[in-house]
Amino acid sequence: MKEYDYLVVGAGLFAAVFVRQAIDAGKRCLVIDKRSHIGGNIYCENIDGIHVHLYGAHIFHTDNKEVWDYVNRFVTFNRYTNSPLANYEGILYNLPFNMNTFNKLWGVNTPKEAKDKIEEQRSEYAHIQAPANLEEQALTLCGKDIYQKLIKGYTEKQWGRPATELPAFIIKRLPFRFVYDNNYFNDLYQGIPIGGYTKIIEKMLDGIEVKTDTDYFEFIKENPDIAEKTLFTGMIDEYFGYKLGALEYRSVRFETEVLDTDNYQGNAVVNYTEREVPYTRIIEHKHFEFGKQEKTVISREYSSEWKVGMEPYYPVNNEQNNKLFEEYKKLADQEKNVIFGGRLGNYKYYDMDKVIEAALETVEKELA
């Protein structure tokens, strides 16, 4: 018998849920992570009493009561509601696009006035029957004002190329809300864990052997027979040595600073939608937990091209990359004792509730 039933590569949310369920079912697990901490991209670092989302803002939201009840086993959530702002040339607009946004843009007060204005702007582009790129797609959906002020620059920064060179499918639809409500999500449940996200992972991995600063590829050379099976939550293409080529990602760089003020921008998330402003948004972390500290911590986010060796954030799920992933998936299916999971293992962008759903489904199937 091998020392462990599962070697779990990565200590993020997917891995932690899998491990918790497996341990509770009597399995033996060893968790390793190349980073110096657990938590993956939801890790929060305590800076001056403020829980800083080190790898970008995370807001938990779900309509799935089973998932909500599951995470509430480990932590209590506050009542934070995501209501981001967009800053264009120093003027602030509410997101998602709602009556507050339309009132600020055009001075309209009623839903009918807003709908008529959007329709008037869209009609200028009615001649575009089959949008050839993201710019054309957006203009046919919302017209020039919303596109120019709130979509174009931000999207170009996110993807690192002009909107005319981006595929139309990136924007399939635009949600317009004809009510004065700035809540970004429609989900029934929403909030931030009191005490930060790291707490969830700590509770899930409580009593479980975890090795940080441990690279899987080095570790497995020295311990080839340590476990019956492996759960791999790293990059699927890296697992196979990029032998079919590297999948593409977008990366993000953060500039985080402590400021000697109690309140910098009055909101947790402010997007900067001008192309000329180099960062995509500024996060003020204390507002996620209604902090009253004398200082504040902000992070500017810069979207960047990804190269092998950099931190991968968002998969570029275009046709070319999805085809390449399918080829890697065929290789993965031949690995009898390896399970691939999570954002990097499945080359898929997941909201946190979907990560938990997928992990619970995977471990249930595994333990059946």
Side-chain angles (χ1 to χ4, degrees):
M1 184 189 274
K2 295 187 178 177
E3 195 175 344
Y4 298 97
D5 295 300
Y6 295 99
L7 170 64
V8 177
V9 183
L13 188 56
F14 187 100
V17 172
F18 183 100
V19 170
R20 182 71 267 154
Q21 300 305 100
I23 290 286
D24 288 350
K27 301 296 182 182
R28 300 157 301 146
C29 299
L30 170 64
V31 179
I32 63 171
D33 198 297
K34 66 181 179 182
R35 288 175 173 169
S36 61
H37 58 76
I38 62 171
N41 280 10
I42 66 170
Y43 172 73
C44 291
E45 187 172 280
N46 190 319
I47 299 176
D48 285 345
I50 297 164
H51 298 113
V52 174
H53 299 210
L54 214 60
Y55 301 95
H58 288 82
I59 297 112
F60 195 89
H61 59 98
T62 188
D63 263 333
N64 186 327
K65 188 170 188 305
E66 182 189 351
V67 166
W68 182 245
D69 289 343
Y70 185 81
V71 288
N72 275 272
R73 284 172 45 189
F74 305 100
V75 75
T76 301
F77 283 77
N78 69 17
R79 58 173 180 81
Y80 177 81
T81 299
N82 190 30
S83 305
L85 295 166
N87 184 318
Y88 179 78
E89 295 185 344
I91 297 172
L92 295 170
Y93 298 91
N94 292 100
L95 299 174
F97 308 138
N98 67 64
M99 286 303 301
N100 289 308
T101 323
F102 308 140
N103 175 266
K104 194 73 164 279
L105 278 167
W106 303 310
V108 298
N109 295 319
T110 69
K112 184 180 186 310
E113 289 172 335
K115 287 175 185 177
D116 288 347
K117 188 68 179 175
I118 291 167
E119 200 48 50
E120 174 197 316
Q121 295 225 334
R122 288 181 66 225
S123 66
E124 291 180 44
Y125 304 94
H127 61 280
I128 302 173
Q129 295 297 310
N133 54 54
L134 184 144
E135 178 160 293
E136 290 186 357
Q137 174 80 323
L139 287 168
T140 60
L141 289 171
C142 67
K144 65 182 179 187
D145 286 350
I146 291 173
Y147 173 66
Q148 291 288 346
K149 293 182 178 181
L150 302 177
I151 296 172
K152 178 178 164 65
Y154 188 85
T155 305
E156 290 183 342
K157 287 188 285 189
Q158 265 197 321
W159 294 96
R161 47 189 57 83
T164 50
E165 293 176 17
L166 291 167
F169 71 76
I170 289 176
I171 296 182
K172 292 189 173 75
R173 61 184 183 85
L174 288 173
F176 296 126
R177 297 187 191 166
F178 296 98
V179 290
Y180 289 91
D181 179 5
N182 300 320
N183 181 2
Y184 196 83
F185 300 118
N186 287 317
D187 297 304
L188 183 59
Y189 308 105
Q190 181 176 178
I192 301 283
I194 295 171
Y197 282 100
T198 311
K199 205 174 192 181
I200 298 178
I201 307 299
E202 286 172 346
K203 291 278 184 70
M204 286 180 178
L205 298 181
D206 186 36
I208 294 159
E209 190 178 353
V210 179
K211 293 179 187 291
T212 52
D213 296 305
T214 302
D215 179 82
Y216 165 74
F217 300 101
E218 295 301 318
F219 181 81
I220 204 66
K221 278 183 204 165
E222 295 168 18
N223 305 275
D225 298 313
I226 196 164
E228 298 289 340
K229 285 190 172 184
T230 298
L231 170 66
F232 188 82
T233 66
M235 294 189 294
I236 190 169
D237 50 347
E238 184 183 21
Y239 179 88
F240 291 105
Y242 304 106
K243 68 181 179 183
L244 304 177
L247 291 162
E248 289 182 287
Y249 296 86
R250 291 293 291 170
S251 195
V252 185
R253 178 173 62 84
F254 302 94
E255 280 181 2
T256 297
E257 57 180 317
V258 180
L259 300 177
D260 199 15
T261 179
D262 67 335
N263 193 352
Y264 175 74
Q265 64 186 17
N267 205 52
V269 182
V270 179
N271 293 352
Y272 284 77
T273 58
E274 292 163 74
R275 187 70 183 87
E276 294 70 28
V277 177
Y279 41 86
T280 54
R281 60 183 183 173
I282 296 178
I283 306 300
E284 187 168 7
H285 300 270
K286 71 189 301 179
H287 294 309
F288 289 126
E289 298 184 67
F290 313 107
K292 304 294 182 194
Q293 297 89 346
E294 291 181 6
K295 294 187 177 182
T296 194
V297 182
I298 64 166
S299 297
R300 293 180 182 86
E301 296 188 10
Y302 299 80
S303 184
S304 70
E305 292 290 338
W306 175 86
K307 292 184 179 125
V308 172
M310 291 174 70
E311 200 66 58
Y313 281 86
Y314 305 107
V316 181
N317 287 121
N318 59 20
E319 191 178 346
Q320 174 191 336
N321 282 299
N322 289 344
K323 274 185 184 171
L324 181 55
F325 169 70
E326 287 305 318
E327 293 306 307
Y328 276 118
K329 182 78 168 61
K330 286 175 191 171
L331 294 179
D333 290 342
Q334 291 165 23
E335 297 279 308
K336 287 194 171 63
N337 295 318
V338 183
I339 304 157
F340 293 85
R343 177 178 54 95
L344 303 177
N346 288 321
Y347 194 63
K348 183 177 179 181
Y349 177 79
Y350 282 110
D351 284 331
M352 284 178 284
D353 64 325
K354 300 300 181 193
V355 171
I356 293 168
E357 275 179 34
L360 288 172
E361 194 178 299
T362 301
V363 73
E364 188 179 327
K365 187 176 169 186
E366 180 64 22
L367 298 175

